[in-house]
Amino acid sequence: MSGILFLRSAKDDEETDAYICAAQKEGFEAENVGVLSSVFVNEDALSLLLEQSQQKGMVATSARAVNALRRVWDGRPFFTVGPSAVNIIEQMGFTPSGSESGNASNLATFIVDNLNSSGPLLFLSGDKSLNILQERLKEAGISLDSIMAYTTGPNPQFGCQYESAAGRLGTRLKWIVFFSPPNMDFFLEAGLSVGQCSVESIGKTTSACLLERGIPVHVEAARPNAQSLLEAIVKEAK
């Protein structure tokens, strides 16, 4: 049985975690190792922006950004990408748009094609967010107010947790999966390497960053979700 290390924090118990379950269903042994830890910031400024009610919609590209909104958002349009953020938005009672986009560039195209109002959108970002979406919307003449909703830093226990997980999998460890550019940065800063393992990325942006740092990408998920990720690994392994 081959092993997979997902460089991500589990969103649920290991028994119900989507990525662990998808891997086990395909006959893999798998573990999550959280690379990042986040801190919410600018909560007062975010609340003030929402009270002013000038924004006509919300844009968020991560679950952490959506979590910053749990108490303060009303019924305006909510654009997002990725299943983790979608799940949280739906738990808040809203219906997200653009969730099938797969990445920030495609989400920007979706917003340009589908936005019906002329008012500004509010974009919740993190301190490591790239400017792909902002630049694309600016080119299209869509006003965008940005606020940093969280900061991301390394999990102080990541190195030890990674070594422990890799040790449990031993020679069965064949795949390492990266989920974001900061994910990759902190992996390298911890002095780790992929060794002889095959590498998968969650999407195009992460793939580009991995290649820039000299890490070969063997497969890339077609969509940022567990099913697509495992489908790519299974196809490559055949």
Side-chain angles (χ1 to χ4, degrees):
M1 179 184 293
S2 297
I4 304 173
L5 277 183
F6 298 120
L7 300 185
R8 62 184 288 275
S9 298
K11 299 298 188 296
D12 305 295
D13 295 334
E14 290 292 316
E15 294 182 356
T16 59
D17 182 84
Y19 287 87
I20 298 295
C21 290
Q24 291 174 344
K25 183 178 179 181
E26 296 294 345
F28 292 94
E29 186 176 358
E31 294 199 29
N32 291 306
V33 184
V35 184
L36 310 175
S37 60
S38 299
V39 177
F40 294 124
V41 297
N42 295 327
E43 292 182 352
D44 291 342
L46 175 58
S47 295
L48 181 60
L49 277 172
L50 296 177
E51 288 172 4
Q52 292 173 344
S53 299
Q54 295 179 349
Q55 288 75 29
K56 301 302 182 182
M58 181 72 69
V59 183
T61 56
S62 73
R64 292 183 294 273
V66 177
N67 267 320
L69 272 198
R70 277 186 177 272
R71 300 185 303 274
V72 291
W73 189 241
D74 56 24
R76 286 163 280 188
F78 209 133
F79 298 97
T80 192
V81 57
S84 296
V86 167
N87 290 340
I88 298 171
I89 293 170
E90 289 176 342
Q91 290 171 14
M92 294 166 65
F94 305 127
T95 301
S97 299
S99 59
E100 297 299 318
S101 300
N103 58 54
S105 178
N106 290 342
L107 179 61
T109 299
F110 178 89
I111 293 172
V112 171
D113 292 341
N114 291 276
L115 185 64
N116 295 319
S117 60
S118 59
L121 299 175
L122 179 60
F123 176 54
L124 299 178
S125 69
D127 60 319
K128 304 296 189 299
S129 297
L130 303 178
N131 293 323
I132 297 171
L133 186 141
Q134 297 98 308
E135 291 174 357
R136 176 71 178 85
L137 294 184
K138 182 178 179 180
E139 291 173 359
I142 296 176
S143 178
L144 189 71
D145 296 330
S146 298
I147 184 169
M148 185 186 300
Y150 65 93
T151 60
T152 302
N155 169 11
Q157 302 300 318
F158 169 65
C160 292
Q161 292 173 354
Y162 178 90
E163 295 291 354
S164 295
R168 287 190 293 272
L169 292 173
T171 57
R172 302 186 303 282
L173 178 57
K174 303 300 182 184
W175 287 91
I176 298 174
V177 183
F178 290 83
F179 285 78
S180 70
N183 190 273
M184 172 206 69
D185 290 337
F186 294 133
F187 177 87
L188 295 176
E189 289 175 11
L192 299 171
S193 70
V194 298
Q196 299 301 310
C197 292
S198 296
V199 171
E200 181 173 16
S201 86
I202 195 66
K204 294 184 182 300
T205 301
T206 301
S207 292
C209 291
L210 285 164
L211 292 172
E212 286 177 3
R213 299 295 291 270
I215 300 176
V217 178
H218 298 87
V219 294
E220 176 185 293
R223 297 283 183 183
N225 58 50
Q227 180 179 350
S228 293
L229 190 149
L230 263 298
E231 286 176 353
I233 289 179
V234 170
K235 182 178 179 180
E236 179 70 13
K238 288 183 178 179

